[in-house]
Amino acid sequence: MTTKKPTRIQTKNRAIIERAALEIFSRDGFRGATVDAIADAAGMSKPNLLYYFPTKDDVYRSLLEGLLQHWTAPLLDLDPDGDPAEQISAFIDRKVELARDFPMESRLFAGEMLRGAPILNDVLVGDLKALVDRQAAIIKGWMDGGHLKPMDPYHLIFAIWATTQHYADFDVQVCALLNDKSDRRFDAAAEALKTIFVEGLRPR
Amino acid sequence: MTTKKPTRIQTKNRAIIERAALEIFSRDGFRGATVDAIADAAGMSKPNLLYYFPTKDDVYRSLLEGLLQHWTAPLLDLDPDGDPAEQISAFIDRKVELARDFPMESRLFAGEMLRGAPILNDVLVGDLKALVDRQAAIIKGWMDGGHLKPMDPYHLIFAIWATTQHYADFDVQVCALLNDKSDRRFDAAAEALKTIFVEGLRPR
Amino acid sequence: MTTKKPTRIQTKNRAIIERAALEIFSRDGFRGATVDAIADAAGMSKPNLLYYFPTKDDVYRSLLEGLLQHWTAPLLDLDPDGDPAEQISAFIDRKVELARDFPMESRLFAGEMLRGAPILNDVLVGDLKALVDRQAAIIKGWMDGGHLKPMDPYHLIFAIWATTQHYADFDVQVCALLNDKSDRRFDAAAEALKTIFVEGLRPR
Amino acid sequence: MTTKKPTRIQTKNRAIIERAALEIFSRDGFRGATVDAIADAAGMSKPNLLYYFPTKDDVYRSLLEGLLQHWTAPLLDLDPDGDPAEQISAFIDRKVELARDFPMESRLFAGEMLRGAPILNDVLVGDLKALVDRQAAIIKGWMDGGHLKPMDPYHLIFAIWATTQHYADFDVQVCALLNDKSDRRFDAAAEALKTIFVEGLRPR
DNA sequence: TATGAATGAGAATTCATTCAT
DNA sequence: GATGAATGAATTCTCATTCAT
């Protein structure tokens, strides 16, 4: 059997399935999700779903594959020639936007990390590390040039990731503690984070 | 029928079970964990485990119950009369220590958040919110007193939580990107975080 | 190990257990009943119960053994020399009293019959058949003597048993259809049954 | 999502399952019956059975639902304008036929009554009571018209039910005491019951 | 005697996947 | 492509019984 290129209906149905699967997987985790639930959410019979993705695992992998590229875009966009503070601010802004607009993707990724990244480990060690190495070097350049306080650029990247994704992954906690379910929390978060990261806590 | 006080062997076995369950639940999530796996890890037959905790749910709840107190201690320890920068630094240090020494607890909690906190929601809205409100007020006091840059104290707390717990929850990613599995990453993290939070990125 | 005669405490505890077991078995059936439930009802630990009756089966058998004698007493009491109509009336009265006063025993027996009498079959074919044969002969004598209408005496005995025990076994239905949970139904039943059996439905 | 109408194979398999379940439930009771046993009797795998009836409870309910209508038909058929004695005789005949031809249905119902009618209670208090009220009124009419001896019509109905169903529910006892497993017992029963009920025991 | 602890054998139900059409 | 039907392998939980003290 040769790998033919997908027909239009295949493309469409795979997209429908992925959309449904993202919802279910991000909410229930890999083990908690059932093919039934995904098929239901996709408005499709279970065998039909498995016609497009032979196994539950395949659906999950397919989601993860598209994920990192999307999610690391803001990091990739750092402009070595831009103003460092502005670049960092923009980075934060874009990450908060992602947390607001694509929380399920973030939670899917977080779930995979909690499990020890059984699927994504190769990508972490490979593509992602390569990307982070490159961008850390850019940030390091800014520090060496005296534009940023010297520190470990990797941990800086981690910190920005952690704080921004927190608003997607721990949304339920954030809402509970702020007692606010409106979207304002994202703007407030972006503002606070930019103050913290760029200015620091100490008054000058 | 009264609830009798537990015998010594009960206390011991419940502790053994909880230790095993923490390992399994934190790695596999609630749904991914099986009573079989927990019983195995506890070196105990499945029915015997269920003799101590009637349902899988009970084991999980029991773990979560003890969690928050342990985990929020560093926040609780903020001394309103201490030096704000030092207090924040100590807070960060202690949180990083927890991430290093009790990563499974952190991941268990993170898993519960990702699921939407079906069990812990009441605690979030109740006890935890009350605690955070109190400590946010302390931080707010420091800001009003001109000791810290004014910003939303809740988001500051979130930021510290997110960045420190990141080293437990996303450990697999951190290790992959640092290409370092030694414990050094925790010290480096603490140092970087203290620099970021207290000094900010911009050179003075 | 020799079979010693039971101590006082043994006698007492066996009685307690049987009382509790009757309640549980008659309500839940043999399979539906659990040793736990019986032990609870007896205010005793499960292993202790099983000290007195080695198996669940033994408890059940023990109950059934005492049953038939108790339950067939009214039939045994038929006096061949008494007035047939009065004897039948007395038989009905006593059976209705048993249904009122010992409904659990009746239901236990009914449950055993529904199951096909796995335990009691030998007794049915043996002792019980012998007794019924004897008493049927007495009734047959009355018929032959022209004191009762000739008919099959066995089916007459069955009819009296069935109608009287109905008020124990189908109590829930009787109460529902009469919309009456007071004890009046037993007196009304006895009266109606005596009318039916002795007089017949047709006016004379 | 709408409930679609069943396919032919669904109809067939549901019928097969119900037939098998009737056998098992009527013999072993609800608790004593296992899904395994029913699936075996139905020549079907356990999960496949549960594909048609999601739970054991559903199978049981399904059986009970169809039961009462079938079982109360002879009572419903009483013709107010017919000859009372003939009507009663016909009622008895039809009930004995049911006991002979559908003993498992009778035992299933009896088992449910013994348990206290957890499932059927609503029906007893509702539909069945309504039916019995109506037919009791018919019988009462006959009595008021002087065609039957005055007595409580409810208890008369109970008596006919009890005596006829006895030949299904207590079949094992009847066979043991008659020492006869041929079908003759049903004819003998019908004859004896008609004599008892219509004529009474006393010679005229 | 009495009971806390332990377990092997179920029992109901779930679920990913396959079959057949 | 699509779906109703079917199933083997779990998975949670139950329960009669035994062990150890």
Side-chain angles (χ1 to χ4, degrees), chain C residues 7 9-10 13 47-48 52:
Chain C
T7 65
I9 196 166
Q10 273 178 348
N13 276 340
N48 200 21
Y52 292 102

Side-chain angles (χ1 to χ4, degrees), chain A residues 28-75:
Chain A
D28 300 337
F30 179 75
R31 287 291 301 267
T34 71
V35 177
D36 249 324
I38 299 171
D40 255 23
M44 189 177 293
S45 74
K46 195 164 37 165
N48 201 22
L49 185 155
L50 291 167
Y51 172 78
Y52 292 102
F53 293 90
T55 71
K56 177 183 172 182
D57 214 76
D58 289 330
V59 186
Y60 183 71
R61 281 168 192 275
S62 168
L63 287 178
L64 285 181
E65 271 166 25
L67 210 61
L68 269 180
Q69 201 180 349
H70 184 216
W71 213 254
T72 53
L75 177 61

Side-chain angles (χ1 to χ4, degrees), chain A residues 76-91 135 138-139 141-143 145-148:
Chain A
L76 190 63
D77 284 353
L78 287 183
D79 176 6
D81 302 325
D83 173 67
E86 280 175 16
Q87 291 295 309
I88 298 287
S89 288
F91 182 19
Q135 305 311 89
I138 292 177
I139 294 172
W142 290 335
M143 291 171 181
H147 306 294
L148 289 182

Side-chain angles (χ1 to χ4, degrees), chain C residues 72-201:
Chain C
T72 52
L75 177 61
L76 189 63
D77 284 354
L78 287 182
D79 176 6
D81 302 322
D83 172 67
E86 279 175 17
Q87 291 296 309
I88 297 288
S89 288
F91 182 20
I92 291 171
D93 276 331
R94 292 204 50 199
K95 281 297 286 357
V96 171
E97 278 166 30
L98 286 180
R100 182 190 62 205
D101 296 338
F102 303 95
M104 293 188 299
E105 279 86 347
S106 184
R107 286 197 282 264
L108 186 74
F109 183 78
E112 171 71 4
M113 291 304 107
L114 283 181
R115 297 204 304 156
I119 309 293
L120 278 187
N121 197 56
D122 288 352
V123 184
L124 296 185
V125 177
D127 289 357
L128 187 62
K129 173 155 176 46
L131 168 65
V132 169
D133 282 345
R134 271 197 313 277
Q135 305 311 89
I138 292 177
I139 294 173
K140 184 70 168 31
W142 291 335
M143 291 171 181
D144 291 343
H147 305 295
L148 289 182
K149 191 158 291 173
M151 68 180 69
D152 188 319
Y154 288 89
H155 289 284
L156 173 56
I157 293 173
F158 296 164
I160 295 175
W161 275 357
T163 47
T164 50
Q165 289 171 212
H166 184 78
Y167 290 91
D169 304 344
F170 284 64
D171 188 52
V172 60
Q173 188 188 40
V174 168
C175 288
L177 297 181
L178 294 179
N179 195 25
D180 179 3
K181 294 200 163 189
S182 75
D183 264 12
R184 260 170 304 179
R185 65 186 181 283
F186 294 103
D187 290 337
E191 194 190 351
L193 289 176
K194 284 183 288 186
T195 301
I196 292 169
F197 279 96
V198 180
E199 305 291 336
L201 299 179

Side-chain angles (χ1 to χ4, degrees), chain B residues 69-97:
Chain B
Q69 201 181 349
H70 184 216
W71 213 253
T72 52
L75 177 61
L76 189 63
D77 284 353
L78 288 183
D79 176 6
D81 302 323
D83 173 67
E86 280 174 17
Q87 290 296 309
I88 298 286
S89 289
F91 182 20
I92 291 171
D93 276 331
R94 292 204 50 197
K95 281 297 284 4
V96 171
E97 278 166 28

Side-chain angles (χ1 to χ4, degrees), chain B residues 33 44 58 90 128 137 141 168:
Chain B
M44 190 178 290
D58 288 331
L128 186 63

